[in-house]
Amino acid sequence: MNNIKNIGVALLVMAGLTFTSCSEDFLDEELTNQYSTEYFDTPEGLQALTVSLYGNIRWHFGFEWSYGQTLYGTDEFTNANDLTNEMWNTYDNRFGPAGATTGTGAANGNATNPAALWDEMYYGIASANTIIAKAETVIQDLKIRNRCLAHAYFLRGYNYYRLTAQYGGVALQTTPIVGVKRNFSRSTDEECWEQVISDFRKAYNLFEGEVFTYGKGVTWTKATAAHFLAKALLFRVSERNNEWNGSYKDADLKEAIDACTYAISVRGALTPNYSDLYANWTGIDCANEQLDEILMAAGHNGDATTVGRFGNRTYNYFTPQFSSFAGGWVRRGVWIGAMDFQRCRPTEYSYAVYNHVNDARMWKTFKTVYGVNTVVNADAGVKLGDPGIVMILNTKNDNTYDGYKFGATIQNPDWKDDAGRLPEWSVGSRQTPTSGALTSKTGQFVPNSLVLYQNGTYVAPTFKNQPVCNFFAGINKTDCGSRTAERGDSHRDVIMARLGETYLTRAECYARQGNYGNAMKDINTVRERAQWKSGENRSFYSDGSLAFKVNPLNTGASATNYVNSNLDMNTYYLSNPGVAVTTAASNLRLTSFPANLPAEDEEILSKVGAGSEYERALHFILNERTRELLGEFQRWETLSRTGTLIKRAKAFNPEAAVNITANKHELRPIPQDFIDGLLNEDGSNLSASQKAAWQNPGY
């Protein structure tokens, strides 16, 4: 059976991972897979295998599974017109243990198989098991031995965390296997979480504090282990495990709070400007990839020899199909930091959860303006560099645009002058951090435009239905202007853990203890960073397209395409009519919790029926996690953990609401090929009842 993984020595030599000696940056390692397994019986080989563990985490961002397993089918994202992974969002009968192929109804061959995570995590676990088994006898230097063990325990804990979060109880294999093993037992959820927590504890105790062994910005440290130890403890005591976790709750919450406190204390304050985490990415290995807030990242750089099996393809998945709007006024290319693959369309909730006036994260995350980089109709009164696509993110109670016509047409014929000509944008030169542009012009022609609400109705999904909306404001957290080909790999790191989440994890632990005062303090720390600072221009926008300024392709016509495409502006003032142009600071601080919450939260809590004090606190924290962590590849896990997946998907994701089912979709299907390939200890095949016992309910 090809899918029965020999999770032992034979799988340690994997294409795309590095097995040479250590260096300051594991991405500088020469790619090779020519070593025999005997190499791992030497100190050099075992250290090299330790470095290779970093390659395993790149897998998470190498293809369509990055969003399918983590974002689809939740309250935050639904599918757009591209239906590659539609079944992960709609939970229809194509989503099951048999896989996801065109033969099982998938739209194309790129669909994510539920077995993908299962298979890949056991590759990394096999490597970790070898290090753990051999380190004591192979490596005599105690410091180096502990360093290798810390990394191995961390990756094994992380991989089992991901497996248990997705599938529930899995096969726990913690020692190397020689040969092929086909008689595994399925451990319980409780046993799996104990293993995860044990591994993270060991890593936490073995790491040398904040020592960046293999290069700051990509290396796991004690704070990294603390962050994930806290998440694992919180998972164990969360609602999904309520049938058996009662005896753990008090101790686990205290330990999780202590772990969060360590990470927060040693890494310092949050990065002051939210844009520096994602939007202000200026190029390969730039300073913003070294921020103290970042606890873990999947590292990438510009060295083609280190790409291995999986590059970073996440820039493809969060952008609307802008190149098809208005007959192609905005064509795609490397000068725009994202491809228009239109996979992840924000739900109404993902816009409505923000305070549109005071929360800077909204306007530092959503891309709402594209510049015209090709003129398809010279008579339309549009010039290169004019705003070509404008997305107005207004609120439900705004009636400014009720009478306007939006889409790929002239919005309002009354805008023509006496000679029948359309007005030009006349925005002048490119916007700077202190300029206005797009702020005082509220009635102008653009080739394509969108608004969220008209007459109190959410109309955004009605634009460009083919058969599903492909016109939406995408998010910019993965945009990359460093690509050397339109569909080439991104060279930016992918953040996997940061202090913003650590604060919210600790806040949730406090809320579960009933300590709402401390929870509010942590929440306010996150919200204070989200406020507009005095002097900030609220209509200024940036994203990872900035890297194109140092891209070797930034010459000639390409340089012009960059200038015309990226106008450094958003639709803040168009989206908030009546708000005067200002550079004053805003205020998002809570003054009470969980009572008397902001209006946007009260509306959401009403829709999900959060009535008790604890329910209000939990759902507010889930809202705050959206505002802080939107699109950061963990939402499904969070909602499944808290027992809120079904309720919030039904409330906010129309495509998921039809089929999502309680007691089934909180877990993923165990791969059927794996189950079919299992044998009993005597070599006989599993019976039908034995196979059924392996599978999750409902599948």
Side-chain angles (χ1 to χ4, degrees), residues 516 519-525 527-528 531 587-601 620-621 624 627:
Y516 296 116
M520 187 172 75
K521 289 179 182 177
D522 280 344
I523 292 166
N524 276 338
T525 297
R527 288 174 69 85
E528 285 166 3
Q531 297 167 170
N587 182 12
L588 287 175
R589 284 183 59 84
L590 300 180
T591 57
S592 65
F593 179 76
N596 302 316
L597 296 171
E600 57 272 13
D601 290 286
F620 177 87
I621 291 170
E624 196 62 43
R627 291 183 282 255

mmCIF file of all heavy atoms in Angstrom, residues 516 519-525 527-528 531 587-601 620-621 624 627:
data_model
loop_
_atom_site.group_PDB
_atom_site.id
_atom_site.type_symbol
_atom_site.label_atom_id
_atom_site.label_comp_id
_atom_site.label_asym_id
_atom_site.label_seq_id
_atom_site.Cartn_x
_atom_site.Cartn_y
_atom_site.Cartn_z
ATOM 1 N N TYR A 516 -12.212 37.996 34.428
ATOM 2 C CA TYR A 516 -12.482 38.848 33.273
ATOM 3 C C TYR A 516 -11.674 40.142 33.297
ATOM 4 O O TYR A 516 -11.425 40.734 32.248
ATOM 5 C CB TYR A 516 -13.982 39.140 33.192
ATOM 6 C CG TYR A 516 -14.801 37.896 32.953
ATOM 7 C CD1 TYR A 516 -15.719 37.448 33.901
ATOM 8 C CD2 TYR A 516 -14.639 37.146 31.793
ATOM 9 C CE1 TYR A 516 -16.469 36.296 33.687
ATOM 10 C CE2 TYR A 516 -15.379 35.990 31.574
ATOM 11 C CZ TYR A 516 -16.287 35.575 32.524
ATOM 12 O OH TYR A 516 -17.015 34.424 32.312
ATOM 13 N N ALA A 519 -8.407 39.238 31.690
ATOM 14 C CA ALA A 519 -8.693 38.973 30.275
ATOM 15 C C ALA A 519 -8.812 40.289 29.520
ATOM 16 O O ALA A 519 -8.270 40.439 28.415
ATOM 17 C CB ALA A 519 -9.968 38.154 30.139
ATOM 18 N N MET A 520 -9.522 41.262 30.095
ATOM 19 C CA MET A 520 -9.700 42.547 29.426
ATOM 20 C C MET A 520 -8.373 43.271 29.255
ATOM 21 O O MET A 520 -8.134 43.936 28.225
ATOM 22 C CB MET A 520 -10.690 43.416 30.203
ATOM 23 C CG MET A 520 -11.061 44.717 29.477
ATOM 24 S SD MET A 520 -12.393 45.635 30.269
ATOM 25 C CE MET A 520 -11.514 46.330 31.685
ATOM 26 N N LYS A 521 -7.472 43.153 30.231
ATOM 27 C CA LYS A 521 -6.162 43.794 30.103
ATOM 28 C C LYS A 521 -5.411 43.261 28.880
ATOM 29 O O LYS A 521 -4.825 44.022 28.119
ATOM 30 C CB LYS A 521 -5.340 43.571 31.369
ATOM 31 C CG LYS A 521 -5.828 44.340 32.581
ATOM 32 C CD LYS A 521 -4.958 44.027 33.799
ATOM 33 C CE LYS A 521 -5.472 44.753 35.031
ATOM 34 N NZ LYS A 521 -4.675 44.412 36.240
ATOM 35 N N ASP A 522 -5.412 41.937 28.713
ATOM 36 C CA ASP A 522 -4.725 41.354 27.559
ATOM 37 C C ASP A 522 -5.406 41.735 26.254
ATOM 38 O O ASP A 522 -4.744 42.022 25.245
ATOM 39 C CB ASP A 522 -4.656 39.831 27.700
ATOM 40 C CG ASP A 522 -3.534 39.379 28.618
ATOM 41 O OD1 ASP A 522 -2.640 40.189 28.909
ATOM 42 O OD2 ASP A 522 -3.567 38.209 29.061
ATOM 43 N N ILE A 523 -6.722 41.727 26.243
ATOM 44 C CA ILE A 523 -7.451 42.123 25.038
ATOM 45 C C ILE A 523 -7.136 43.573 24.689
ATOM 46 O O ILE A 523 -6.904 43.916 23.524
ATOM 47 C CB ILE A 523 -8.964 41.912 25.240
ATOM 48 C CG1 ILE A 523 -9.284 40.425 25.330
ATOM 49 C CG2 ILE A 523 -9.758 42.558 24.110
ATOM 50 C CD1 ILE A 523 -10.673 40.123 25.846
ATOM 51 N N ASN A 524 -7.096 44.428 25.679
ATOM 52 C CA ASN A 524 -6.818 45.842 25.424
ATOM 53 C C ASN A 524 -5.397 46.062 24.921
ATOM 54 O O ASN A 524 -5.147 46.990 24.147
ATOM 55 C CB ASN A 524 -7.075 46.675 26.682
ATOM 56 C CG ASN A 524 -8.539 47.064 26.824
ATOM 57 O OD1 ASN A 524 -9.286 47.081 25.845
ATOM 58 N ND2 ASN A 524 -8.955 47.374 28.042
ATOM 59 N N THR A 525 -4.467 45.231 25.342
ATOM 60 C CA THR A 525 -3.106 45.337 24.794
ATOM 61 C C THR A 525 -3.128 45.132 23.285
ATOM 62 O O THR A 525 -2.467 45.856 22.528
ATOM 63 C CB THR A 525 -2.186 44.298 25.458
ATOM 64 O OG1 THR A 525 -2.097 44.567 26.857
ATOM 65 C CG2 THR A 525 -0.791 44.349 24.846
ATOM 66 N N ARG A 527 -5.834 45.470 21.308
ATOM 67 C CA ARG A 527 -6.655 46.502 20.680
ATOM 68 C C ARG A 527 -5.955 47.862 20.656
ATOM 69 O O ARG A 527 -6.173 48.660 19.735
ATOM 70 C CB ARG A 527 -8.004 46.589 21.399
ATOM 71 C CG ARG A 527 -8.899 45.395 21.100
ATOM 72 C CD ARG A 527 -10.174 45.394 21.917
ATOM 73 N NE ARG A 527 -11.092 46.461 21.535
ATOM 74 C CZ ARG A 527 -11.977 46.387 20.541
ATOM 75 N NH1 ARG A 527 -12.042 45.281 19.802
ATOM 76 N NH2 ARG A 527 -12.796 47.400 20.283
ATOM 77 N N GLU A 528 -5.121 48.142 21.634
ATOM 78 C CA GLU A 528 -4.381 49.403 21.621
ATOM 79 C C GLU A 528 -3.442 49.472 20.422
ATOM 80 O O GLU A 528 -3.280 50.526 19.808
ATOM 81 C CB GLU A 528 -3.614 49.571 22.929
ATOM 82 C CG GLU A 528 -4.491 49.942 24.109
ATOM 83 C CD GLU A 528 -3.785 49.779 25.438
ATOM 84 O OE1 GLU A 528 -2.576 49.436 25.439
ATOM 85 O OE2 GLU A 528 -4.436 49.973 26.480
ATOM 86 N N GLN A 531 -5.339 50.510 17.230
ATOM 87 C CA GLN A 531 -5.858 51.872 17.094
ATOM 88 C C GLN A 531 -5.032 52.672 16.087
ATOM 89 O O GLN A 531 -3.836 52.435 15.909
ATOM 90 C CB GLN A 531 -5.810 52.578 18.459
ATOM 91 C CG GLN A 531 -6.673 51.935 19.519
ATOM 92 C CD GLN A 531 -6.375 52.436 20.921
ATOM 93 O OE1 GLN A 531 -7.115 52.137 21.838
ATOM 94 N NE2 GLN A 531 -5.298 53.188 21.098
ATOM 95 N N ASN A 587 -9.568 55.249 19.421
ATOM 96 C CA ASN A 587 -9.622 54.547 20.703
ATOM 97 C C ASN A 587 -10.456 53.273 20.557
ATOM 98 O O ASN A 587 -11.621 53.332 20.163
ATOM 99 C CB ASN A 587 -10.233 55.446 21.776
ATOM 100 C CG ASN A 587 -10.265 54.773 23.137
ATOM 101 O OD1 ASN A 587 -9.650 53.733 23.350
ATOM 102 N ND2 ASN A 587 -10.985 55.364 24.078
ATOM 103 N N LEU A 588 -9.850 52.126 20.859
ATOM 104 C CA LEU A 588 -10.552 50.839 20.823
ATOM 105 C C LEU A 588 -10.591 50.153 22.184
ATOM 106 O O LEU A 588 -11.064 49.012 22.291
ATOM 107 C CB LEU A 588 -9.870 49.896 19.823
ATOM 108 C CG LEU A 588 -10.041 50.178 18.328
ATOM 109 C CD1 LEU A 588 -9.199 49.200 17.519
ATOM 110 C CD2 LEU A 588 -11.496 50.092 17.904
ATOM 111 N N ARG A 589 -10.113 50.789 23.207
ATOM 112 C CA ARG A 589 -10.043 50.156 24.524
ATOM 113 C C ARG A 589 -11.427 49.788 25.056
ATOM 114 O O ARG A 589 -12.376 50.573 24.962
ATOM 115 C CB ARG A 589 -9.362 51.085 25.530
ATOM 116 C CG ARG A 589 -7.854 51.161 25.392
ATOM 117 C CD ARG A 589 -7.270 52.062 26.477
ATOM 118 N NE ARG A 589 -7.606 51.562 27.811
ATOM 119 C CZ ARG A 589 -6.936 50.625 28.468
ATOM 120 N NH1 ARG A 589 -5.866 50.082 27.898
ATOM 121 N NH2 ARG A 589 -7.303 50.237 29.676
ATOM 122 N N LEU A 590 -11.519 48.580 25.597
ATOM 123 C CA LEU A 590 -12.725 48.175 26.306
ATOM 124 C C LEU A 590 -12.716 48.798 27.697
ATOM 125 O O LEU A 590 -11.672 48.877 28.343
ATOM 126 C CB LEU A 590 -12.785 46.654 26.440
ATOM 127 C CG LEU A 590 -12.796 45.806 25.166
ATOM 128 C CD1 LEU A 590 -12.846 44.326 25.539
ATOM 129 C CD2 LEU A 590 -13.947 46.175 24.260
ATOM 130 N N THR A 591 -13.876 49.198 28.150
ATOM 131 C CA THR A 591 -14.006 49.702 29.516
ATOM 132 C C THR A 591 -14.788 48.746 30.402
ATOM 133 O O THR A 591 -14.844 48.929 31.617
ATOM 134 C CB THR A 591 -14.691 51.089 29.516
ATOM 135 O OG1 THR A 591 -15.965 50.981 28.868
ATOM 136 C CG2 THR A 591 -13.827 52.108 28.791
ATOM 137 N N SER A 592 -15.391 47.729 29.784
ATOM 138 C CA SER A 592 -16.045 46.669 30.539
ATOM 139 C C SER A 592 -15.969 45.390 29.712
ATOM 140 O O SER A 592 -15.867 45.432 28.488
ATOM 141 C CB SER A 592 -17.506 47.008 30.837
ATOM 142 O OG SER A 592 -18.261 47.088 29.638
ATOM 143 N N PHE A 593 -16.012 44.237 30.422
ATOM 144 C CA PHE A 593 -15.907 42.949 29.734
ATOM 145 C C PHE A 593 -16.392 41.860 30.679
ATOM 146 O O PHE A 593 -15.955 41.811 31.833
ATOM 147 C CB PHE A 593 -14.447 42.688 29.336
ATOM 148 C CG PHE A 593 -14.233 41.375 28.633
ATOM 149 C CD1 PHE A 593 -14.606 41.216 27.309
ATOM 150 C CD2 PHE A 593 -13.669 40.295 29.299
ATOM 151 C CE1 PHE A 593 -14.410 40.004 26.654
ATOM 152 C CE2 PHE A 593 -13.474 39.086 28.655
ATOM 153 C CZ PHE A 593 -13.843 38.946 27.328
ATOM 154 N N PRO A 594 -17.309 41.005 30.237
ATOM 155 C CA PRO A 594 -17.864 40.919 28.880
ATOM 156 C C PRO A 594 -19.187 41.652 28.704
ATOM 157 O O PRO A 594 -19.910 41.380 27.731
ATOM 158 C CB PRO A 594 -18.045 39.423 28.703
ATOM 159 C CG PRO A 594 -18.381 38.936 30.087
ATOM 160 C CD PRO A 594 -17.632 39.817 31.035
ATOM 161 N N ALA A 595 -19.544 42.557 29.582
ATOM 162 C CA ALA A 595 -20.775 43.337 29.410
ATOM 163 C C ALA A 595 -20.489 44.571 28.564
ATOM 164 O O ALA A 595 -19.347 45.019 28.454
ATOM 165 C CB ALA A 595 -21.324 43.756 30.774
ATOM 166 N N ASN A 596 -21.528 45.124 27.954
ATOM 167 C CA ASN A 596 -21.446 46.402 27.237
ATOM 168 C C ASN A 596 -20.307 46.425 26.222
ATOM 169 O O ASN A 596 -19.421 47.275 26.263
ATOM 170 C CB ASN A 596 -21.276 47.552 28.237
ATOM 171 C CG ASN A 596 -22.403 47.617 29.233
ATOM 172 O OD1 ASN A 596 -23.575 47.483 28.876
ATOM 173 N ND2 ASN A 596 -22.054 47.782 30.504
ATOM 174 N N LEU A 597 -20.330 45.483 25.314
ATOM 175 C CA LEU A 597 -19.290 45.360 24.298
ATOM 176 C C LEU A 597 -19.586 46.298 23.124
ATOM 177 O O LEU A 597 -20.704 46.808 22.983
ATOM 178 C CB LEU A 597 -19.206 43.913 23.827
ATOM 179 C CG LEU A 597 -18.776 42.911 24.906
ATOM 180 C CD1 LEU A 597 -18.927 41.482 24.409
ATOM 181 C CD2 LEU A 597 -17.351 43.182 25.369
ATOM 182 N N PRO A 598 -18.607 46.532 22.242
ATOM 183 C CA PRO A 598 -18.843 47.391 21.082
ATOM 184 C C PRO A 598 -20.018 46.909 20.244
ATOM 185 O O PRO A 598 -20.331 45.712 20.205
ATOM 186 C CB PRO A 598 -17.516 47.302 20.310
ATOM 187 C CG PRO A 598 -16.496 46.990 21.354
ATOM 188 C CD PRO A 598 -17.198 46.102 22.343
ATOM 189 N N ALA A 599 -20.644 47.832 19.535
ATOM 190 C CA ALA A 599 -21.876 47.527 18.789
ATOM 191 C C ALA A 599 -21.669 46.410 17.784
ATOM 192 O O ALA A 599 -22.548 45.542 17.614
ATOM 193 C CB ALA A 599 -22.371 48.790 18.090
ATOM 194 N N GLU A 600 -20.511 46.413 17.089
ATOM 195 C CA GLU A 600 -20.270 45.372 16.092
ATOM 196 C C GLU A 600 -20.221 43.996 16.751
ATOM 197 O O GLU A 600 -20.648 42.995 16.156
ATOM 198 C CB GLU A 600 -18.996 45.639 15.299
ATOM 199 C CG GLU A 600 -17.718 45.774 16.107
ATOM 200 C CD GLU A 600 -17.444 47.189 16.578
ATOM 201 O OE1 GLU A 600 -18.360 48.049 16.495
ATOM 202 O OE2 GLU A 600 -16.308 47.438 17.024
ATOM 203 N N ASP A 601 -19.707 43.921 17.977
ATOM 204 C CA ASP A 601 -19.663 42.645 18.683
ATOM 205 C C ASP A 601 -21.030 42.248 19.220
ATOM 206 O O ASP A 601 -21.398 41.064 19.163
ATOM 207 C CB ASP A 601 -18.648 42.723 19.826
ATOM 208 C CG ASP A 601 -17.219 42.794 19.334
ATOM 209 O OD1 ASP A 601 -16.704 41.758 18.877
ATOM 210 O OD2 ASP A 601 -16.633 43.884 19.364
ATOM 211 N N PHE A 620 -16.615 37.009 22.060
ATOM 212 C CA PHE A 620 -15.881 38.251 21.814
ATOM 213 C C PHE A 620 -14.424 37.945 21.487
ATOM 214 O O PHE A 620 -13.850 38.531 20.554
ATOM 215 C CB PHE A 620 -15.937 39.195 23.021
ATOM 216 C CG PHE A 620 -15.114 40.431 22.797
ATOM 217 C CD1 PHE A 620 -15.661 41.538 22.167
ATOM 218 C CD2 PHE A 620 -13.773 40.474 23.165
ATOM 219 C CE1 PHE A 620 -14.879 42.667 21.910
ATOM 220 C CE2 PHE A 620 -12.987 41.598 22.917
ATOM 221 C CZ PHE A 620 -13.558 42.696 22.295
ATOM 222 N N ILE A 621 -13.802 37.040 22.226
ATOM 223 C CA ILE A 621 -12.403 36.691 21.948
ATOM 224 C C ILE A 621 -12.278 36.069 20.561
ATOM 225 O O ILE A 621 -11.311 36.338 19.831
ATOM 226 C CB ILE A 621 -11.856 35.768 23.050
ATOM 227 C CG1 ILE A 621 -11.714 36.557 24.351
ATOM 228 C CG2 ILE A 621 -10.511 35.173 22.644
ATOM 229 C CD1 ILE A 621 -11.407 35.693 25.569
ATOM 230 N N GLU A 624 -12.253 38.906 18.281
ATOM 231 C CA GLU A 624 -10.968 39.614 18.335
ATOM 232 C C GLU A 624 -9.884 38.821 17.630
ATOM 233 O O GLU A 624 -8.995 39.387 16.990
ATOM 234 C CB GLU A 624 -10.574 39.888 19.784
ATOM 235 C CG GLU A 624 -9.484 40.941 19.947
ATOM 236 C CD GLU A 624 -9.916 42.307 19.427
ATOM 237 O OE1 GLU A 624 -11.063 42.733 19.687
ATOM 238 O OE2 GLU A 624 -9.086 42.953 18.748
ATOM 239 N N ARG A 627 -10.188 39.728 14.027
ATOM 240 C CA ARG A 627 -9.629 41.050 13.733
ATOM 241 C C ARG A 627 -8.108 41.037 13.751
ATOM 242 O O ARG A 627 -7.467 41.721 12.954
ATOM 243 C CB ARG A 627 -10.179 42.061 14.741
ATOM 244 C CG ARG A 627 -11.663 42.359 14.575
ATOM 245 C CD ARG A 627 -12.158 43.403 15.544
ATOM 246 N NE ARG A 627 -12.382 42.912 16.882
ATOM 247 C CZ ARG A 627 -13.577 42.675 17.425
ATOM 248 N NH1 ARG A 627 -14.686 42.877 16.707
ATOM 249 N NH2 ARG A 627 -13.683 42.249 18.676
#
